[in-house]
Amino acid sequence: QATAQLDGLVEFLDVGLDAATRSIVLDRLFDQIEASWTSSINGVRIRRSGSLGEVVAGPRLGQALGILVENSVAVRRSPDVVTLTVAAEPMGGGGRRITLTDDGPGRLRELTAFRWSDGSRSTSTVGPVLARRIVEREGGRLRAEAVEGAATTWTIELPGR
């Protein structure tokens, strides 16, 4: 039932949107995400490991990546600028793996239907779950790994098209 509710929300967000897949230049997309935060009190600096390349995906991919950046800002340790390191590499079949690592507290451990669990408590967080569903609708996969007190790494694997 939770998946159906998330699908309903994504479909609602798609109303009036040209959902056709297109080539997305990842460097340009992350430039836009970074620029949207520079005017905010909660700044974001994005470091890249080389050119990120392109993916073929629907327009919601940018929203999913933006949600993950927003989550990193929300859980940061101090009011300082959040630094994110982004890398992308090719996968078999023309797919692409994108990793996004923050410099935050690394509190999040496991993504489930509506909860992240760090083993001692659960926190409701719909944003990353929505991001996961968007990525899944693109035929991809989203994972989160955390090192307590150090960082969270989001990994998105998108198939080739």
Side-chain angles (χ1 to χ4, degrees), residues 82-145:
V82 171
T83 301
L84 299 138
T85 303
V86 181
E89 62 184 1
M91 294 181 356
R96 199 124 187 106
R97 178 178 297 113
I98 305 164
T99 57
L100 178 64
T101 303
D102 65 31
D103 62 350
R107 294 189 315 211
L108 307 179
R109 293 269 191 233
E110 181 182 336
L111 183 62
T112 58
F114 275 102
R115 303 216 177 262
W116 287 97
S117 174
D118 66 4
S120 62
R121 65 181 178 81
S122 292
T123 307
S124 176
T125 176
V126 175
V129 176
L130 181 57
R132 182 185 73 176
R133 195 64 195 129
I134 291 169
V135 170
E136 287 172 349
R137 287 172 61 109
E138 292 291 336
R141 199 169 93 165
L142 171 65
R143 295 186 322 264
E145 297 174 36

Short mmCIF file of all heavy atoms in Angstrom, two decimals, residues 82-145:
data_model
loop_
_atom_site.label_atom_id
_atom_site.label_comp_id
_atom_site.label_asym_id
_atom_site.label_seq_id
_atom_site.Cartn_x
_atom_site.Cartn_y
_atom_site.Cartn_z
N VAL A 82 27.41 22.54 3.42
CA VAL A 82 27.51 21.09 3.24
C VAL A 82 28.34 20.82 1.99
O VAL A 82 28.12 21.43 0.94
CB VAL A 82 26.11 20.46 3.08
CG1 VAL A 82 26.21 19.00 2.69
CG2 VAL A 82 25.31 20.63 4.35
N THR A 83 29.31 19.93 2.11
CA THR A 83 30.12 19.54 0.95
C THR A 83 29.71 18.15 0.51
O THR A 83 29.66 17.23 1.32
CB THR A 83 31.62 19.57 1.29
OG1 THR A 83 31.98 20.88 1.71
CG2 THR A 83 32.46 19.18 0.09
N LEU A 84 29.42 18.03 -0.78
CA LEU A 84 29.03 16.76 -1.36
C LEU A 84 30.04 16.39 -2.44
O LEU A 84 30.46 17.25 -3.21
CB LEU A 84 27.65 16.86 -1.99
CG LEU A 84 26.55 17.23 -1.00
CD1 LEU A 84 25.62 18.23 -1.59
CD2 LEU A 84 25.82 15.99 -0.58
N THR A 85 30.42 15.14 -2.47
CA THR A 85 31.30 14.64 -3.52
C THR A 85 30.48 13.75 -4.43
O THR A 85 29.83 12.81 -3.95
CB THR A 85 32.49 13.86 -2.91
OG1 THR A 85 33.18 14.72 -2.01
CG2 THR A 85 33.43 13.39 -3.99
N VAL A 86 30.50 14.06 -5.72
CA VAL A 86 29.70 13.33 -6.68
C VAL A 86 30.62 12.66 -7.70
O VAL A 86 31.59 13.27 -8.17
CB VAL A 86 28.74 14.28 -7.43
CG1 VAL A 86 27.89 13.51 -8.43
CG2 VAL A 86 27.86 15.03 -6.46
N ALA A 87 30.32 11.42 -8.01
CA ALA A 87 31.06 10.69 -9.03
C ALA A 87 30.06 9.91 -9.87
O ALA A 87 28.96 9.60 -9.41
CB ALA A 87 32.07 9.74 -8.38
N ALA A 88 30.44 9.61 -11.08
CA ALA A 88 29.60 8.79 -11.95
C ALA A 88 30.51 7.90 -12.78
O ALA A 88 31.60 8.31 -13.17
CB ALA A 88 28.72 9.66 -12.85
N GLU A 89 30.05 6.69 -12.99
CA GLU A 89 30.84 5.75 -13.79
C GLU A 89 29.91 4.89 -14.61
O GLU A 89 28.76 4.66 -14.24
CB GLU A 89 31.71 4.88 -12.88
CG GLU A 89 30.90 4.02 -11.93
CD GLU A 89 31.78 3.22 -10.96
OE1 GLU A 89 33.01 3.35 -11.02
OE2 GLU A 89 31.21 2.47 -10.17
N PRO A 90 30.41 4.43 -15.76
CA PRO A 90 29.57 3.58 -16.59
C PRO A 90 29.37 2.20 -15.97
O PRO A 90 30.22 1.73 -15.21
CB PRO A 90 30.36 3.47 -17.91
CG PRO A 90 31.74 3.91 -17.59
CD PRO A 90 31.70 4.72 -16.34
N MET A 91 28.23 1.62 -16.26
CA MET A 91 27.93 0.25 -15.86
C MET A 91 27.70 -0.55 -17.15
O MET A 91 27.50 0.03 -18.21
CB MET A 91 26.67 0.20 -15.00
CG MET A 91 26.79 0.88 -13.67
SD MET A 91 25.31 0.82 -12.61
CE MET A 91 24.04 0.03 -13.52
N GLY A 92 27.66 -1.84 -17.03
CA GLY A 92 27.39 -2.69 -18.18
C GLY A 92 26.06 -2.35 -18.82
O GLY A 92 25.14 -1.88 -18.16
N GLY A 93 25.97 -2.55 -20.13
CA GLY A 93 24.72 -2.31 -20.84
C GLY A 93 24.42 -0.84 -21.06
O GLY A 93 23.28 -0.48 -21.35
N GLY A 94 25.39 0.04 -20.87
CA GLY A 94 25.17 1.46 -21.09
C GLY A 94 24.58 2.19 -19.90
O GLY A 94 24.25 3.37 -19.99
N GLY A 95 24.45 1.51 -18.77
CA GLY A 95 23.92 2.16 -17.57
C GLY A 95 24.96 3.07 -16.91
O GLY A 95 26.10 3.15 -17.35
N ARG A 96 24.54 3.74 -15.86
CA ARG A 96 25.43 4.66 -15.16
C ARG A 96 25.19 4.56 -13.66
O ARG A 96 24.05 4.47 -13.20
CB ARG A 96 25.15 6.09 -15.62
CG ARG A 96 26.25 7.05 -15.34
CD ARG A 96 26.68 7.71 -16.65
NE ARG A 96 27.85 8.53 -16.47
CZ ARG A 96 29.05 8.18 -16.89
NH1 ARG A 96 29.24 7.04 -17.49
NH2 ARG A 96 30.07 8.97 -16.73
N ARG A 97 26.29 4.55 -12.90
CA ARG A 97 26.22 4.55 -11.44
C ARG A 97 26.65 5.94 -10.96
O ARG A 97 27.73 6.41 -11.30
CB ARG A 97 27.15 3.49 -10.86
CG ARG A 97 27.16 3.45 -9.33
CD ARG A 97 28.06 2.35 -8.79
NE ARG A 97 27.56 1.04 -9.20
CZ ARG A 97 28.18 0.21 -10.04
NH1 ARG A 97 29.35 0.52 -10.57
NH2 ARG A 97 27.65 -0.97 -10.36
N ILE A 98 25.79 6.57 -10.17
CA ILE A 98 26.06 7.90 -9.62
C ILE A 98 26.18 7.76 -8.12
O ILE A 98 25.30 7.17 -7.48
CB ILE A 98 24.91 8.87 -9.95
CG1 ILE A 98 24.64 8.92 -11.46
CG2 ILE A 98 25.20 10.26 -9.39
CD1 ILE A 98 23.31 9.54 -11.82
N THR A 99 27.26 8.27 -7.54
CA THR A 99 27.39 8.27 -6.08
C THR A 99 27.45 9.71 -5.59
O THR A 99 28.09 10.56 -6.21
CB THR A 99 28.63 7.50 -5.60
OG1 THR A 99 29.79 8.07 -6.20
CG2 THR A 99 28.54 6.03 -5.94
N LEU A 100 26.80 9.94 -4.49
CA LEU A 100 26.72 11.25 -3.87
C LEU A 100 27.03 11.06 -2.39
O LEU A 100 26.27 10.41 -1.67
CB LEU A 100 25.31 11.81 -4.05
CG LEU A 100 24.94 13.14 -3.45
CD1 LEU A 100 25.76 14.26 -4.07
CD2 LEU A 100 23.46 13.41 -3.66
N THR A 101 28.19 11.57 -1.94
CA THR A 101 28.62 11.39 -0.55
C THR A 101 28.66 12.74 0.14
O THR A 101 29.29 13.68 -0.36
CB THR A 101 30.01 10.74 -0.49
OG1 THR A 101 29.96 9.49 -1.19
CG2 THR A 101 30.45 10.49 0.95
N ASP A 102 27.99 12.84 1.29
CA ASP A 102 28.00 14.11 2.02
C ASP A 102 29.03 14.08 3.14
O ASP A 102 29.64 13.05 3.41
CB ASP A 102 26.60 14.45 2.54
CG ASP A 102 26.08 13.49 3.59
OD1 ASP A 102 26.88 12.92 4.36
OD2 ASP A 102 24.85 13.30 3.65
N ASP A 103 29.21 15.22 3.78
CA ASP A 103 30.14 15.30 4.91
C ASP A 103 29.37 15.39 6.22
O ASP A 103 29.85 15.95 7.19
CB ASP A 103 31.09 16.49 4.75
CG ASP A 103 30.38 17.83 4.73
OD1 ASP A 103 29.13 17.85 4.64
OD2 ASP A 103 31.05 18.86 4.79
N GLY A 104 28.17 14.82 6.22
CA GLY A 104 27.29 14.90 7.38
C GLY A 104 27.56 13.84 8.42
O GLY A 104 28.60 13.18 8.40
N PRO A 105 26.61 13.65 9.31
CA PRO A 105 26.81 12.76 10.45
C PRO A 105 26.67 11.28 10.15
O PRO A 105 26.95 10.45 11.01
CB PRO A 105 25.72 13.20 11.42
CG PRO A 105 24.64 13.74 10.56
CD PRO A 105 25.34 14.38 9.39
N GLY A 106 26.23 10.90 8.96
CA GLY A 106 26.15 9.48 8.63
C GLY A 106 25.19 8.71 9.50
O GLY A 106 25.45 7.57 9.85
N ARG A 107 24.05 9.31 9.83
CA ARG A 107 23.11 8.67 10.74
C ARG A 107 22.20 7.66 10.08
O ARG A 107 21.63 6.81 10.74
CB ARG A 107 22.24 9.72 11.42
CG ARG A 107 23.00 10.63 12.32
CD ARG A 107 22.08 11.49 13.11
NE ARG A 107 21.04 12.05 12.26
CZ ARG A 107 20.48 13.23 12.46
NH1 ARG A 107 20.86 13.97 13.47
NH2 ARG A 107 19.54 13.68 11.67
N LEU A 108 21.99 7.75 8.81
CA LEU A 108 20.99 6.91 8.15
C LEU A 108 21.59 5.59 7.73
O LEU A 108 22.67 5.53 7.19
CB LEU A 108 20.42 7.65 6.94
CG LEU A 108 19.90 9.05 7.25
CD1 LEU A 108 19.39 9.69 5.99
CD2 LEU A 108 18.81 9.00 8.30
N ARG A 109 20.88 4.52 7.96
CA ARG A 109 21.41 3.19 7.66
C ARG A 109 20.63 2.45 6.58
O ARG A 109 21.21 1.95 5.65
CB ARG A 109 21.43 2.33 8.92
CG ARG A 109 22.40 2.82 9.94
CD ARG A 109 23.74 2.15 9.72
NE ARG A 109 24.59 2.44 10.85
CZ ARG A 109 25.79 2.95 10.76
NH1 ARG A 109 26.31 3.23 9.60
NH2 ARG A 109 26.49 3.19 11.83
N GLU A 110 19.35 2.30 6.73
CA GLU A 110 18.63 1.39 5.85
C GLU A 110 17.34 2.02 5.37
O GLU A 110 16.57 2.53 6.15
CB GLU A 110 18.31 0.11 6.64
CG GLU A 110 17.59 -0.93 5.85
CD GLU A 110 17.26 -2.13 6.70
OE1 GLU A 110 17.93 -2.38 7.71
OE2 GLU A 110 16.30 -2.82 6.35
N LEU A 111 17.13 1.98 4.07
CA LEU A 111 15.92 2.53 3.49
C LEU A 111 14.85 1.44 3.43
O LEU A 111 15.07 0.37 2.90
CB LEU A 111 16.22 3.03 2.07
CG LEU A 111 15.08 3.69 1.31
CD1 LEU A 111 14.63 4.94 2.05
CD2 LEU A 111 15.54 4.05 -0.08
N THR A 112 13.72 1.72 4.04
CA THR A 112 12.58 0.80 3.98
C THR A 112 11.39 1.60 3.48
O THR A 112 11.54 2.73 3.05
CB THR A 112 12.29 0.18 5.36
OG1 THR A 112 12.03 1.24 6.29
CG2 THR A 112 13.47 -0.64 5.85
N ALA A 113 10.21 1.05 3.53
CA ALA A 113 9.04 1.68 2.91
C ALA A 113 8.85 3.14 3.31
O ALA A 113 8.74 4.00 2.48
CB ALA A 113 7.79 0.88 3.22
N PHE A 114 8.79 3.44 4.57
CA PHE A 114 8.62 4.82 5.01
C PHE A 114 9.60 5.19 6.11
O PHE A 114 9.41 6.17 6.79
CB PHE A 114 7.20 5.07 5.52
CG PHE A 114 6.25 5.39 4.43
CD1 PHE A 114 5.38 4.41 3.97
CD2 PHE A 114 6.22 6.64 3.86
CE1 PHE A 114 4.49 4.70 2.95
CE2 PHE A 114 5.32 6.92 2.84
CZ PHE A 114 4.46 5.96 2.39
N ARG A 115 10.63 4.40 6.32
CA ARG A 115 11.51 4.69 7.45
C ARG A 115 12.97 4.45 7.11
O ARG A 115 13.32 3.56 6.36
CB ARG A 115 11.15 3.80 8.64
CG ARG A 115 9.71 3.98 9.06
CD ARG A 115 9.61 3.89 10.54
NE ARG A 115 8.25 4.12 10.96
CZ ARG A 115 7.81 5.27 11.40
NH1 ARG A 115 8.59 6.30 11.49
NH2 ARG A 115 6.57 5.40 11.78
N TRP A 116 13.82 5.26 7.72
CA TRP A 116 15.25 5.00 7.75
C TRP A 116 15.48 4.48 9.16
O TRP A 116 14.97 5.02 10.12
CB TRP A 116 16.06 6.27 7.57
CG TRP A 116 16.05 6.80 6.20
CD1 TRP A 116 15.25 7.79 5.72
CD2 TRP A 116 16.87 6.40 5.12
NE1 TRP A 116 15.52 8.02 4.42
CE2 TRP A 116 16.52 7.18 4.02
CE3 TRP A 116 17.87 5.45 4.97
CZ2 TRP A 116 17.13 7.05 2.79
CZ3 TRP A 116 18.49 5.33 3.74
CH2 TRP A 116 18.11 6.11 2.67
N SER A 117 16.27 3.47 9.30
CA SER A 117 16.52 2.92 10.63
C SER A 117 18.02 2.88 10.87
O SER A 117 18.77 2.42 10.03
CB SER A 117 15.95 1.51 10.73
OG SER A 117 16.30 0.93 11.94
N ASP A 118 18.46 3.40 12.01
CA ASP A 118 19.89 3.34 12.34
C ASP A 118 20.15 2.30 13.42
O ASP A 118 21.19 2.29 14.05
CB ASP A 118 20.41 4.71 12.76
CG ASP A 118 19.80 5.22 14.06
OD1 ASP A 118 19.02 4.47 14.69
OD2 ASP A 118 20.12 6.34 14.46
N GLY A 119 19.20 1.42 13.64
CA GLY A 119 19.38 0.34 14.60
C GLY A 119 18.89 0.70 15.99
O GLY A 119 18.48 -0.16 16.75
N SER A 120 18.90 1.99 16.35
CA SER A 120 18.45 2.37 17.68
C SER A 120 17.12 3.13 17.64
O SER A 120 16.40 3.16 18.61
CB SER A 120 19.50 3.25 18.36
OG SER A 120 19.70 4.44 17.62
N ARG A 121 16.83 3.73 16.52
CA ARG A 121 15.58 4.47 16.40
C ARG A 121 15.20 4.57 14.93
O ARG A 121 16.03 4.40 14.06
CB ARG A 121 15.69 5.86 17.01
CG ARG A 121 16.66 6.76 16.29
CD ARG A 121 16.74 8.13 16.96
NE ARG A 121 17.70 8.95 16.29
CZ ARG A 121 17.47 9.63 15.16
NH1 ARG A 121 16.31 9.55 14.56
NH2 ARG A 121 18.40 10.38 14.62
N SER A 122 13.96 4.88 14.66
CA SER A 122 13.51 5.10 13.29
C SER A 122 13.00 6.52 13.17
O SER A 122 12.42 7.06 14.10
CB SER A 122 12.38 4.13 12.93
OG SER A 122 12.87 2.82 12.88
N THR A 123 13.23 7.12 12.02
CA THR A 123 12.79 8.47 11.77
C THR A 123 12.01 8.48 10.47
O THR A 123 12.51 8.00 9.46
CB THR A 123 13.99 9.43 11.65
OG1 THR A 123 14.80 9.27 12.79
CG2 THR A 123 13.54 10.86 11.53
N SER A 124 10.81 9.01 10.50
CA SER A 124 10.03 9.12 9.28
C SER A 124 10.68 10.17 8.39
O SER A 124 10.96 11.27 8.81
CB SER A 124 8.60 9.53 9.63
OG SER A 124 7.88 9.73 8.44
N THR A 125 10.94 9.82 7.15
CA THR A 125 11.52 10.75 6.20
C THR A 125 11.03 10.38 4.81
O THR A 125 11.53 9.45 4.19
CB THR A 125 13.06 10.79 6.30
OG1 THR A 125 13.54 11.64 5.29
CG2 THR A 125 13.69 9.44 6.19
N VAL A 126 10.05 11.10 4.34
CA VAL A 126 9.40 10.76 3.08
C VAL A 126 10.27 11.16 1.88
O VAL A 126 10.26 10.48 0.87
CB VAL A 126 8.01 11.42 3.00
CG1 VAL A 126 7.37 11.19 1.65
CG2 VAL A 126 7.13 10.88 4.10
N GLY A 127 11.06 12.23 1.99
CA GLY A 127 11.85 12.71 0.85
C GLY A 127 12.72 11.65 0.21
O GLY A 127 12.59 11.37 -0.99
N PRO A 128 13.65 11.03 0.96
CA PRO A 128 14.48 10.00 0.34
C PRO A 128 13.69 8.80 -0.17
O PRO A 128 14.08 8.18 -1.16
CB PRO A 128 15.44 9.59 1.47
CG PRO A 128 15.53 10.81 2.31
CD PRO A 128 14.14 11.39 2.29
N VAL A 129 12.58 8.49 0.47
CA VAL A 129 11.75 7.38 0.00
C VAL A 129 11.11 7.76 -1.34
O VAL A 129 11.05 6.94 -2.26
CB VAL A 129 10.68 7.01 1.05
CG1 VAL A 129 9.75 5.94 0.53
CG2 VAL A 129 11.36 6.56 2.33
N LEU A 130 10.69 9.01 -1.47
CA LEU A 130 10.15 9.49 -2.74
C LEU A 130 11.25 9.46 -3.81
O LEU A 130 11.01 9.04 -4.94
CB LEU A 130 9.60 10.90 -2.58
CG LEU A 130 8.98 11.53 -3.82
CD1 LEU A 130 7.85 10.68 -4.37
CD2 LEU A 130 8.50 12.95 -3.50
N ALA A 131 12.46 9.86 -3.45
CA ALA A 131 13.58 9.81 -4.39
C ALA A 131 13.81 8.38 -4.86
O ALA A 131 14.02 8.13 -6.06
CB ALA A 131 14.86 10.38 -3.75
N ARG A 132 13.76 7.45 -3.92
CA ARG A 132 13.95 6.03 -4.30
C ARG A 132 12.88 5.59 -5.29
O ARG A 132 13.17 4.92 -6.27
CB ARG A 132 13.91 5.14 -3.06
CG ARG A 132 14.15 3.66 -3.44
CD ARG A 132 14.02 2.74 -2.28
NE ARG A 132 12.62 2.61 -1.92
CZ ARG A 132 12.17 1.79 -0.98
NH1 ARG A 132 13.00 1.07 -0.27
NH2 ARG A 132 10.89 1.71 -0.72
N ARG A 133 11.66 5.98 -5.04
CA ARG A 133 10.56 5.57 -5.93
C ARG A 133 10.72 6.17 -7.32
O ARG A 133 10.46 5.52 -8.33
CB ARG A 133 9.21 5.96 -5.31
CG ARG A 133 8.06 5.26 -5.96
CD ARG A 133 8.14 3.75 -5.74
NE ARG A 133 7.24 3.08 -6.64
CZ ARG A 133 7.58 2.08 -7.43
NH1 ARG A 133 8.78 1.60 -7.42
NH2 ARG A 133 6.70 1.55 -8.24
N ILE A 134 11.16 7.43 -7.40
CA ILE A 134 11.40 8.06 -8.69
C ILE A 134 12.47 7.28 -9.45
O ILE A 134 12.32 6.99 -10.63
CB ILE A 134 11.81 9.54 -8.51
CG1 ILE A 134 10.62 10.36 -8.00
CG2 ILE A 134 12.35 10.12 -9.81
CD1 ILE A 134 10.98 11.76 -7.53
N VAL A 135 13.56 6.95 -8.77
CA VAL A 135 14.65 6.19 -9.40
C VAL A 135 14.15 4.82 -9.84
O VAL A 135 14.46 4.35 -10.95
CB VAL A 135 15.86 6.07 -8.45
CG1 VAL A 135 16.88 5.09 -8.98
CG2 VAL A 135 16.49 7.44 -8.22
N GLU A 136 13.34 4.16 -9.03
CA GLU A 136 12.80 2.85 -9.39
C GLU A 136 11.91 2.96 -10.63
O GLU A 136 11.92 2.07 -11.48
CB GLU A 136 12.01 2.25 -8.23
CG GLU A 136 12.90 1.76 -7.10
CD GLU A 136 12.12 1.34 -5.86
OE1 GLU A 136 10.90 1.62 -5.78
OE2 GLU A 136 12.74 0.75 -4.96
N ARG A 137 11.17 4.03 -10.74
CA ARG A 137 10.31 4.22 -11.92
C ARG A 137 11.13 4.44 -13.19
O ARG A 137 10.63 4.26 -14.29
CB ARG A 137 9.33 5.36 -11.69
CG ARG A 137 8.23 4.98 -10.71
CD ARG A 137 7.37 6.17 -10.34
NE ARG A 137 6.70 6.74 -11.48
CZ ARG A 137 5.40 6.66 -11.72
NH1 ARG A 137 4.63 6.00 -10.88
NH2 ARG A 137 4.88 7.21 -12.78
N GLU A 138 12.38 4.82 -13.02
CA GLU A 138 13.32 4.95 -14.16
C GLU A 138 13.98 3.61 -14.45
O GLU A 138 14.86 3.53 -15.30
CB GLU A 138 14.40 5.99 -13.85
CG GLU A 138 13.90 7.41 -13.77
CD GLU A 138 13.44 7.95 -15.11
OE1 GLU A 138 13.90 7.46 -16.17
OE2 GLU A 138 12.60 8.86 -15.11
N GLY A 139 13.61 2.56 -13.70
CA GLY A 139 14.21 1.25 -13.88
C GLY A 139 15.50 1.08 -13.10
O GLY A 139 16.22 0.11 -13.28
N GLY A 140 15.79 2.05 -12.21
CA GLY A 140 17.04 2.03 -11.46
C GLY A 140 16.89 1.60 -10.02
O GLY A 140 15.83 1.10 -9.61
N ARG A 141 17.96 1.81 -9.29
CA ARG A 141 18.00 1.42 -7.89
C ARG A 141 18.70 2.51 -7.09
O ARG A 141 19.68 3.10 -7.55
CB ARG A 141 18.79 0.13 -7.80
CG ARG A 141 18.58 -0.66 -6.55
CD ARG A 141 19.18 -2.00 -6.72
NE ARG A 141 20.55 -1.93 -6.19
CZ ARG A 141 21.29 -2.96 -5.92
NH1 ARG A 141 20.84 -4.16 -6.16
NH2 ARG A 141 22.47 -2.83 -5.41
N LEU A 142 18.22 2.78 -5.87
CA LEU A 142 18.83 3.75 -4.97
C LEU A 142 19.16 3.05 -3.67
O LEU A 142 18.33 2.36 -3.09
CB LEU A 142 17.87 4.92 -4.68
CG LEU A 142 18.28 5.90 -3.59
CD1 LEU A 142 19.54 6.66 -3.96
CD2 LEU A 142 17.15 6.87 -3.29
N ARG A 143 20.43 3.21 -3.23
CA ARG A 143 20.86 2.64 -1.95
C ARG A 143 21.49 3.75 -1.12
O ARG A 143 22.02 4.72 -1.66
CB ARG A 143 21.92 1.56 -2.18
CG ARG A 143 21.45 0.35 -2.90
CD ARG A 143 22.52 -0.75 -2.94
NE ARG A 143 23.87 -0.27 -3.12
CZ ARG A 143 24.50 -0.19 -4.29
NH1 ARG A 143 23.87 -0.53 -5.39
NH2 ARG A 143 25.74 0.22 -4.35
N ALA A 144 21.47 3.56 0.19
CA ALA A 144 22.13 4.49 1.10
C ALA A 144 23.03 3.68 2.03
O ALA A 144 22.65 2.63 2.51
CB ALA A 144 21.12 5.26 1.93
N GLU A 145 24.24 4.19 2.23
CA GLU A 145 25.18 3.59 3.18
C GLU A 145 25.69 4.72 4.05
O GLU A 145 25.95 5.82 3.57
CB GLU A 145 26.34 2.93 2.44
CG GLU A 145 25.91 1.79 1.55
CD GLU A 145 27.07 1.26 0.74
OE1 GLU A 145 28.20 1.24 1.26
OE2 GLU A 145 26.84 0.88 -0.41
#
